[in-house]
Amino acid sequence: MSAPVVLVTGASGGIGSAIATAFARQGARLILVGRNATAMAGVAKAVEGAGGAAVVLLADLVKDDPARIAGQAIAAFGAVDMLVNCAGVQYFGDAEAETAGGTAQLFATNVVAPIQLIQALLPHLKSRPEARIVNVGSIFGSIGFPCFASYSASKFALRGYSEALRRELADGPVKVHYVAPRYTRTGFNRAPVARMAEALGMNQDNPERVAEQVLAAVRGKRADTYLGWPEKLFVRINAVLPRLIDGALVRQARRMRPFTRGPLVESIESN
Ligand SMILES: NC(=O)c1ccc[n+]([C@@H]2O[C@H](COP(=O)([O-])OP(=O)(O)OC[C@H]3O[C@@H](n4cnc5c(N)ncnc54)[C@H](OP(=O)(O)O)[C@@H]3O)[C@@H](O)[C@H]2O)c1
């Protein structure tokens, strides 16, 4: 694909902006989707500085019509070759402390929005000689993680959708990739999560590392990518022998509990 047009949601975020800039370095043209005009202007500048072209498309993925977003995206450069679903929100805390509104916003952002954007863009993507969908999941989308129950469930859903869609589209020009980061240093992880990750010695990546892996997945036509070692091993063990992982995560949950005070659900609902 020469100078592909890449649509990135969550482009104002840590990982989304790194993905956009990494594609720009390859000469891609970027459609940056997000809500925050000031932050998006900064990302557009970084994309242009990296050698790409950028169009900012202001949209709230939960509130706005996916058909409108898809239509404006196609109009921006005349085509879209790749959709990177990167926008996401997180809940960290005790399950019973999460509000109904917070849960709804989390699933609307992490599951419903990417699926609806795919549905809106798929007829167009199918008309391209070669097209890609990249869904940014999480290691927690393969390992049900205590104190992140709804977030884990949302990423399980996105992983399942990605697998099913990949199989459905296998005979056509649209390839589907699922990329699952582990803990990444971005604003996504608010203070309690960051403190907990430090205290528990969680492995951490920079967003640029995630972006590298997205590019490698697309280039190598790799279906699923799990970042980090030993995380990718735990993903495999959890898939075949989940009881082996139970003990370690039950102990982990006990160590996480002191950090779950002051749930982050308010930040989800205000998003
Ligand atoms: N950071 C990690 O530790 C980590 C680990 C594993 C997986 N991930 C996944 O990686 C992806 C990106 O995370 P990140 O670390 O880059 O997070 P981030 O810095 O918090 O960025 C999140 C992005 O999602 C956007 N977003 C949220 N709700 C939206 C809505 N309703 N409409 C439009 N945009 C919306 C935000 O836009 P606004 O600027 O408008 O809020 C922001 O651009 C997420 O899917 C996350 O689940 C992250």
Side-chain angles (χ1 to χ4, degrees), residues 29-43:
R29 291 168 288 169
L30 272 299
I31 300 160
L32 309 171
V33 177
R35 296 172 294 185
N36 181 332
T38 313
M40 305 287 289
V43 180

Side-chain angles (χ1 to χ4, degrees), residues 29-245:
R29 291 168 288 169
L30 272 299
I31 300 160
L32 309 171
V33 177
R35 296 172 294 185
N36 181 332
T38 313
M40 305 287 289
V43 180
K45 215 167 160 195
V47 161
E48 283 156 11
V55 167
V56 170
L57 203 168
L58 286 179
D60 184 318
L61 294 163
V62 171
K63 294 182 184 148
D64 290 335
D65 177 12
R68 193 272 293 174
I69 300 170
Q72 287 187 352
I74 295 164
F77 291 110
V80 174
D81 301 298
M82 197 181 313
L83 165 62
V84 182
N85 279 310
C86 187
V89 292
Q90 180 197 65
Y91 171 79
F92 167 66
D94 300 333
E96 70 272 26
E98 186 176 317
T99 65
T103 309
Q105 181 73 17
L106 190 144
F107 277 84
T109 311
N110 294 3
V111 185
V112 178
I115 292 175
Q116 290 185 339
L117 195 52
I118 289 169
Q119 289 164 344
L121 268 173
L122 207 41
H124 172 77
L125 292 173
K126 281 181 170 174
S127 75
R128 304 294 296 157
E130 200 185 340
R132 305 300 179 94
I133 295 169
V134 180
N135 290 328
V136 178
S138 168
I139 291 292
F140 293 2
S142 299
I143 301 174
F145 222 82
C147 305
F148 290 92
S150 288
Y151 177 70
S152 272
S154 73
K155 294 298 186 176
F156 268 72
L158 187 63
R159 181 168 62 86
Y161 184 84
S162 305
E163 183 178 275
L165 188 68
R166 177 185 306 132
R167 291 169 177 165
E168 181 176 327
L169 301 180
D171 291 334
V174 187
K175 302 300 167 212
V176 180
H177 306 269
Y178 175 78
V179 178
R182 60 181 176 183
Y183 186 104
T184 309
R185 289 182 210 92
T186 71
F188 193 66
N189 298 303
R190 311 281 172 101
V193 181
R195 278 200 300 272
M196 180 270 296
E198 285 298 328
L200 270 59
M202 281 183 168
N203 297 319
Q204 307 192 2
D205 289 317
N206 290 323
E208 291 71 26
R209 171 83 187 131
V210 181
E212 267 170 33
Q213 290 298 303
V214 168
L215 259 68
V218 167
R219 211 177 284 132
K221 303 197 166 134
R222 204 192 299 145
D224 293 310
T225 302
Y226 298 94
L227 272 90
W229 185 261
E231 287 78 3
K232 55 182 85 175
L233 175 64
F234 289 144
V235 164
R236 285 179 187 269
I237 297 173
N238 196 69
V240 284
L241 294 166
R243 299 292 81 81
L244 276 187
I245 302 290

